[in-house]
Amino acid sequence: MLAERLTNVQEAGKVFVEKCGGTFVNAIRAAGNNAQGLLETILEDIPSSCHTGFLTERVECYKRAQILVADVCACFEGKGFGMFTNIVQLTIFVDYCIPQGEKELNYIHLPQCHSNTEQLFGSQSS
């Protein structure tokens, strides 16, 4: 698996040298604050970023590429290179939103979070 990851990183580096003047920043600039546009660029230019094997079938899986875009946004705190006007369109966030939506629709019941540690662990004096 490590050899495969090394090959993927080398492939990405080659793409950035050839198509982006040697820097990922140029890909971000070309996307123009568009998370979906940057994602599409990554998927088009770096084949290893968009699929994985499932049994004997090829399955498109954009999660790794979406994580890259989300990480850029997070690293720059949504400003400058990380300011994407449509970051919520990435489906990576569905992993986290589905349980919230199911709870809202009363399909599932999640335990309440306790902000008061004394309620959870008891008082220090006990």
Side-chain angles (χ1 to χ4, degrees):
M1 181 181 233
L2 183 60
E4 180 183 341
R5 295 292 170 122
L6 177 61
T7 301
N8 293 349
V9 169
Q10 289 171 334
E11 175 189 37
K14 185 177 178 183
V15 166
F16 295 136
V17 167
E18 292 175 358
K19 294 188 174 186
C20 300
T23 178
F24 185 62
V25 168
N26 288 337
I28 296 170
R29 283 185 181 130
N33 301 103
N34 183 327
Q36 191 66 37
L38 180 57
L39 176 65
E40 289 170 9
T41 297
I42 294 166
L43 295 173
E44 288 172 12
D45 292 343
I46 306 171
S48 64
S49 69
C50 66
H51 69 274
T52 187
F54 179 73
L55 301 175
T56 59
E57 300 294 320
R58 178 184 159 137
V59 177
E60 298 299 323
C61 181
Y62 305 144
K63 192 163 191 168
R64 217 180 300 152
Q66 290 184 52
I67 289 170
L68 173 58
V69 176
D71 282 350
V72 169
C73 182
C75 286
F76 290 96
E77 299 177 340
K79 301 171 188 156
F81 293 126
M83 187 179 75
F84 297 109
T85 56
N86 59 346
I87 190 74
V88 296
Q89 289 181 348
L90 300 184
T91 58
I92 183 176
F93 299 111
V94 170
D95 294 352
Y96 306 104
C97 294
I98 288 175
Q100 293 169 354
E102 290 174 337
K103 181 180 184 298
E104 186 69 27
L105 295 169
N106 292 317
Y107 293 148
I108 61 172
H109 298 283
L110 301 173
Q112 293 295 315
C113 292
H114 296 282
S115 60
N116 185 342
T117 57
E118 188 173 312
Q119 285 181 313
L120 269 169
F121 302 108
S123 70
Q124 295 279 344
S125 60
S126 18

